[in-house]
Amino acid sequence: MKMVKDKRKKMHLSKMYSLRRKGFEEDHSQIGGPAPYSAVSAILPLIVVIGATMVKEGIEDWQRQQQIEILKDHEVNNRKVKVHRRGGVFETSQWKKLKVGDIVKVEKDEFFPADLLLLSSSYEDAICYVETMNLDGETNLKLKQSLDVTSLYNEDSKFNNFKATVKCEDPNASLYTFVGTMNFQEQRYALSPQQLLLRDSKLRNTDYIYGAVIFTGHDTKVIQNSTDPPSKRSKIEKRTDHIIYFLFFVLFLMAFTGSIYFGVVTKDDLDGNRMKRWYLRPDDSEIFFDPKKAPIAAIYHFLTAVLLYTYLIPISLYVSVEIVKVLQTVFINKDVHMYDEESDKPAHARTSNLTEELGQIDTILSDKTGTLTCNSMEFIKCSVAGTAYGRGVTEVERSMAKRVNGEDHFDENGTEAYSHLSVKGYKFEDERITNGRWVNEPHSDVIQKFLRLLAICHTAIPDVDEETGKVTYEAESPDESAFVIAARELGFEFYKRTQTSVSFMEFDPKSKKHVERSYELLNILEFNSTRKRMSVIVRDDEGKLLLLCKGADSVMFERISKKGRQFEEKTRDHVHEYADAGLRTLILAYRELNEKEYEEFNEKFTEAKNSVSAERDDMISEVTDQIENDLILLGATAIEDKLQKGVPETIDKLAQAGIKIWVLTGDKMETAINIGFACSLLRQGMKQIVITLESPEIIAAEKSGDKNSIARVSKNSVQKQIAAGKAQINASKSDAYALIIDGKSLAYALSDDTKNEFLDLAVGCASVICCRSSPKQKALVTRLVKEGTGKTVLAIGDGANDVGMLQEADIGIGISGVEGMQAVMSSDIAIAQFRFLERLLLVHGHWSYRRISSMISYFFYKNIVFGTTVFLYEAYASFSGQPAYNDWYLSLYNVFFTSLPVIALGVFDQDVSARLCLKFPLLYQEGVQNTLFRWRRIFSWMVNGLFSGIIIFFLCMKSLNPESYDKNGKTAGMEIMGATMYSCVVWVVNCQMALAVSYFTLIQHIFIWGGIFLWYLFLIVYGALPSSASTTAYKVFVETLAPAPTYWLVTLFVVTASLVPYICFKAVQMRFFPGYHGMVQWIRHDGRANDPEYFQMVRQQSIRTTNVGFTARSIARDNEFDWHLER
Amino acid sequence: MSNAMNPTPTQPLDPSAPGRYSKRPKYSRFTQQELPACKPILTPKWVISVFMLVTIVFVPIGLASLFASQAVVEIVERYDDACAPSGTRSDKVRFIQSDANKTCNRTLTVPKHMKQPIYVYYQLDSFYQNHRRYVKSRSDKQLRSRKDENAVSTCNPEDNNVNGSTIVPCGLVAWSMFNDTFSFSTGNDVQLPVTKKGISWKSDRDHKFGKDVFPKNFQNGSLIGGARLNESIPLSEQEDLIVWMRTAALPTFRKLFGKIEVDLQAGDTIHVIVQNNYNTYSFDGKKKLVLSTASWLGGKNNFIGIAYLAVGGLCFVLAVAFTIIYLSKPRRLGDPSYLSWNRNPSGH
């Protein structure tokens, strides 16, 4: 569908043009009809142009078809699922055959084929775990539970006579709500989102579930969330349309002026019976020239003139641009620097429409998980008893080190360091701790407790491989599993969990042996976003009662007892350091409980848990709050949310190129902020403006349950926070600000009356992070930025939850490195890694932008040159519509003699090499600020064309007429004048091209000089045809032009005279007002691009102050250091 | 489908294994956009040398053309006014359309020695031979061969006679053929013969105007346009017609009338007897008689020479100007102080 739309749009201009032409050629057999040239000559170039378009579209269609074929295997509709037939028998069936009401059985790690109502699961209490990555990008597992009444139906055979009626809301896009009832055994039960399993999420940690199909296909929530794929056109293309409209306007104006003049002159020819220009026989004239009906003749003439001046409109422009764009995409697809070895995937541009748009990106909206990060957490550092352990280097530290030490140094220790650490989720390296050596550390008892805590305080489930004895873990979130893995690697191997106990192997320093320990698990105080901590209460094998607690530093430090603060200061320092390096930190602490305390707590806790009132959660948190106090600090952990390779460098480069980067993620705020730090989008010293609805008043309002008042209070709060943020920015502009906003607030911030305020605030900030945002919100933010700023927006993401964003953005980039096709399928360009974005934008984008814009300007130039000569000649032929050129010269101009060099320009031109593009990222701003395709430049080219046309016409006219033209006394008739003028036009236009090219390959030489040669060849061949075919061109070159020195002399000086102004302009500009690319060209020309010192100086001067990226960060850090010194 | 939990493949990478990198793009200079190329940049050296080169080439050519043009001797005599009775325009129109004797004597003086061949032209002003109606009103087919005699569909309104027989040659162009005649004699009444042989392009005579096509029903309609044609001579030998039929590009044009193949001495007087038949009075067109020799470059036209000198001179001035600018405002190449880009705030 998308394709068809695109095509329609693209074709419409050329069609408009061709239809118009055709319309007038119908009645052309009769002489004097309005068409100023013969039908064949007009149709041939159109056939060439339309044929080329058709071939191109055909190839693209074919490629797409191929792609679809390949995808058929993956295709969602053909996936298999088990469906209940009858009599308790389940059969495998295809997804597409599912109907509402079917009972399906989904097994572990399968996707749900439709929106399902959970009936029962392999667990007794009918719970199941669901991963919703594809919906909201969240990686932690969600717990779903069925109604009690259906939980017994947990075997195939039990569904024999299962019957229930479900009434529910209409299909809608809200992922987090569901209203319905179920009539079962003559009872009505209310349904909630808790029972709803959404399509495209995945069953985890649960062997199987049974579910009833509620919504299928397009009714499912995930599909409801997707938007129609928009047809995308680049801004340059849109502007080109405007120029074409402008040219059409000029064309009509010219035709109109001509017609008026023609009408007046024609009327004047006949005065009563007296003829003025008797040789035209005005007394006996057909309607087109009839003085008696001059107004009608003028109207007909208008049509003739429109046809004649269509040479002002470059018909081959669109198809040439498309050919060039297709080649650009080939270059993108074939770039070895954008090929990812690990996933064996090259870049893949899926549409060819948008390549030049890549050079104009103002804002990048990036997904987090899978795009910036690998979604693997690695235990990398810890601080125990006030000592920092862990020598692992984070990605950020590596890139900063690289910047300080120069480029060569880092590569070895960077990539090498990775390879020998093969355990996933674990990158801890410190010989003081590993291999049991922690025993010799000063506070070995604290370390032991610390590691034990890691092994016990979690909710992960172990999975022991019976053959190898290796233990793997299923955890709710990857950081959870990183902890358990770290504990295992350091000698505390957790291997068994029952409802009431946790067992692990431990290295006992006294006996020097591995001993098994089993702790009685009494309570789990679960994690949630307000508590920001989790605890377990256990009884150890000696009977001691322990409360083990881990949590965020903001809530933990205040819960430490006075005695337990021994290491506080140092730990705080370390945590600060870790956080700045983008690591996720947790504080670990414990306390010993006495039996009485515990009894008391347990009573209250059980009571709170079993209560059904609305205050249940409050009660629980109150109870737990009391017990999680007076803790003793053990230390802190630091987990790296591993960034994709090269992400910090890429972000730094893009920031230097002046591109703004926003992160839109479904993740928690803390995680998002951590990643902000890890990517250097945030840093210490940057002022954070946090907009959230986690404030007490909102929570209070939420409790009241009145939807309207919640909305009102929330909205007020968001608006207030936005206003405050703006005030803060206005108060001090020199600071760098970061905006962090959560999904709930975003919902209000994006409402119609607030969104502009929000956008203002966001644009004023150096970095923006939106967390907990739903797919729809991502798309809305994208649209807001796109429409609000009017700038080009690129979105990049890898998951199904990014689809809306990718489609909404001007350009959507899908990450194809990991499995999963939705994002790629809805993207415009797929790359394997985030880091390839650097090359895609700074090199390919910059070049494409430059090429396409030069090419289009040049197209207008060359057609205006030609159009001007046609028009001026008309003025000397009393606007009768007679061109000086032969029909075939006219029609082949656009197709043969001038097109190929422009295409070569569009395909090959490079202002500076790829290496320099990357070295001088600011070059990219040429595209963002659109310096090469702004109106001024377009009009300068047009004016240049106009002047060239005028020079050509008048110089030719003056030098050829009326005196004899060669030594045999012959004078120059229309055919000589036409051919000479045309030769000049071909020469001028091609030489102008040669002057404009900055990257002269052999192909350019062939096309440019070949174009000129082709013209002469054409003249000779065409002139040699029988005179009935060649008419005025018969032997014109061989007999008349070539032997006459005048012809050659005129060509030489007309060409020179037309080009001198441009050379002057260019010389002055290049020397004294060079554009940024001009400066870089100078640097290259001087051979100084390799002089590191000089290069650094130039770059330093050219770097605009950027606030994000590690360059900015280390500068900020240096400044801070200086400031401290001064104090 | 998507399992982002393990994005990194666990199997070791072995680049030497065949077929491992199956989708790796093949390296070629074309696809990697690394074709060898020269990257011209307009350095001062280039700018100045280009301009100097143009000067060096153009000035001699200019001088040569100017000399050539100066060597041409040209006599231009406007006779439309003098050969018609003075009075208003309509008087003149009435005169030219009447049967009165339109013979008219003009005397020319040769300013310089004129070497033969001396070309005789007539020049018309404000005559739109390039008008679309006019240009199209002919039949090349009919002119070319006898069998297409009836191909007159394009010749309206001069296609058929009142009685329906086709006109050969048809169309407005032929119909309006120039019909003033000139005969020349020297001061001492020696006739100067005017040759018509070879005044037209050879390709026209051989291929466009048929040897078997003879004028027919020409100029016998109600309205007489211009010249009549001898019906016994084939079109391919009617050189006046052939010359006329090559339509001129612009409203002011010259066409060859003939050649005088004797030298004329400076100071010679030439008597011209003009048969002033052609009507240019109704559209205020001028008629001129031109006698001219020709150089290797053609007729007397100083324009090419002057233009060459002007462009050459201009380029010399530019070369000097650029030299001065480059010297007086030297800029260390690649001087970063010109990098004012970072001061451009519009990126925000």
Side-chain angles (χ1 to χ4, degrees), chain A residues 361-365 654-655 658-662 681 762-763 765-766 789 791 1108, chain B residues 347-348:
Chain A
I361 305 298
D362 180 71
T363 310
I364 294 177
L365 304 180
L654 296 177
I659 304 172
K660 294 195 255 317
I661 300 165
W662 295 25
L681 287 171
V763 167
C765 292
T789 61
K791 303 265 176 61
V1108 294
Chain B
H348 271 293

Side-chain angles (χ1 to χ4, degrees), chain A residues 31 33 35 79 111 133 202 275-281 284-286 289 304 331 334-336 339 341 344 346 374 424 818-819 822 844 847 851 873 876-878 880-882 908 910 922 925-926 929 955 957-959 961-971 973-975 977 998-1001 1027-1028 1031 1034 1039-1040 1045-1046 1049 1052-1053 1056 1060 1064 1066-1068 1070-1072 1076 1079 1082 1084-1086 1088 1094 1097-1098 1101-1102 1104, chain B residues 1-2 4-5 7 9 13 20-25 30-39 41-44 47 51 54 58 61 119 121 126-128 130-136 144 153-154 156-158 172 175-176 198-203 207-208 223 225 246-252 254 256 278-279 282-283 294-301 303-304 307-308 318 322 325-326 331-334 336 338-339 341-342 344 346-347:
Chain A
I31 188 58
R79 288 212 210 127
F111 286 97
M133 260 281 287
K202 199 182 203 178
M275 292 182 276
K276 233 175 148 185
R277 292 189 292 183
W278 56 269
Y279 51 90
L280 297 176
R281 286 300 296 273
D284 181 13
S285 179
E286 63 270 78
F289 303 97
T304 309
F331 289 144
K334 299 277 179 192
D335 193 335
V336 288
Y339 165 76
E341 291 191 350
D344 186 29
C374 308
K424 193 175 153 281
V818 285
E819 226 180 308
Q822 272 116 321
H844 289 282
W847 280 346
R851 289 165 180 172
Y873 183 76
Y876 281 82
S878 68
S880 59
Q882 175 63 41
F908 298 105
Q910 304 178 0
L922 213 60
Q925 279 292 319
E926 288 195 336
Q929 297 176 17
L955 292 187
M957 185 182 94
K958 280 280 168 207
S959 40
N961 212 52
E963 296 75 18
S964 70
Y965 159 82
D966 64 1
K967 63 178 193 297
N968 298 322
K970 306 271 199 307
T971 53
M974 192 190 277
E975 70 291 335
M977 173 87 172
S998 47
Y999 189 79
F1000 239 113
T1001 63
S1027 64
S1028 54
T1031 62
Y1034 183 64
E1039 188 185 25
T1040 60
T1046 315
L1049 288 184
L1052 178 63
F1053 98 77
T1056 317
V1060 163
C1064 288
K1066 187 88 182 170
V1068 170
M1070 190 65 198
R1071 184 72 179 173
F1072 300 104
Y1076 196 78
M1079 302 177 200
W1082 276 121
R1084 186 212 67 223
H1085 179 262
D1086 299 350
R1088 304 186 75 156
Y1094 177 77
M1097 176 177 74
V1098 173
Q1101 292 213 7
S1102 65
R1104 208 175 33 189
Chain B
M1 202 190 316
S2 155
M5 301 289 278
L13 299 174
R20 171 69 184 82
Y21 298 123
S22 54
K23 289 184 189 157
R24 183 189 198 107
F30 175 74
T31 56
Q32 300 310 311
Q33 310 193 55
E34 290 168 359
L35 289 173
C38 72
K39 303 164 188 166
I41 174 170
L42 278 177
T43 57
V47 175
F51 283 136
V54 173
F58 272 40
I61 296 180
Y119 298 101
Y121 303 93
S126 311
F127 189 99
Y128 287 87
N130 58 7
H131 193 282
R132 191 156 71 100
R133 174 169 162 85
Y134 189 83
V135 171
K136 301 277 184 215
R144 206 176 303 124
S153 63
T154 55
N156 186 48
E158 294 297 327
L172 286 174
W175 175 74
S176 63
I199 58 171
S200 60
W201 294 103
K202 188 168 180 298
S203 64
H207 300 282
K208 287 193 169 174
L223 207 59
R246 272 224 175 188
T247 47
L250 295 164
T252 299
R254 281 180 196 177
L256 255 181
Y278 203 69
N279 176 9
S282 41
F283 54 89
S295 68
W296 58 275
L297 208 52
K300 191 174 185 68
N301 186 352
F303 183 78
I304 295 181
Y308 262 96
L318 284 172
F322 272 102
I325 292 173
Y326 288 141
R331 166 185 188 250
R332 206 159 50 89
L333 289 181
Y338 282 84
L339 292 172
W341 189 269
N342 52 338
N344 187 350
S346 56

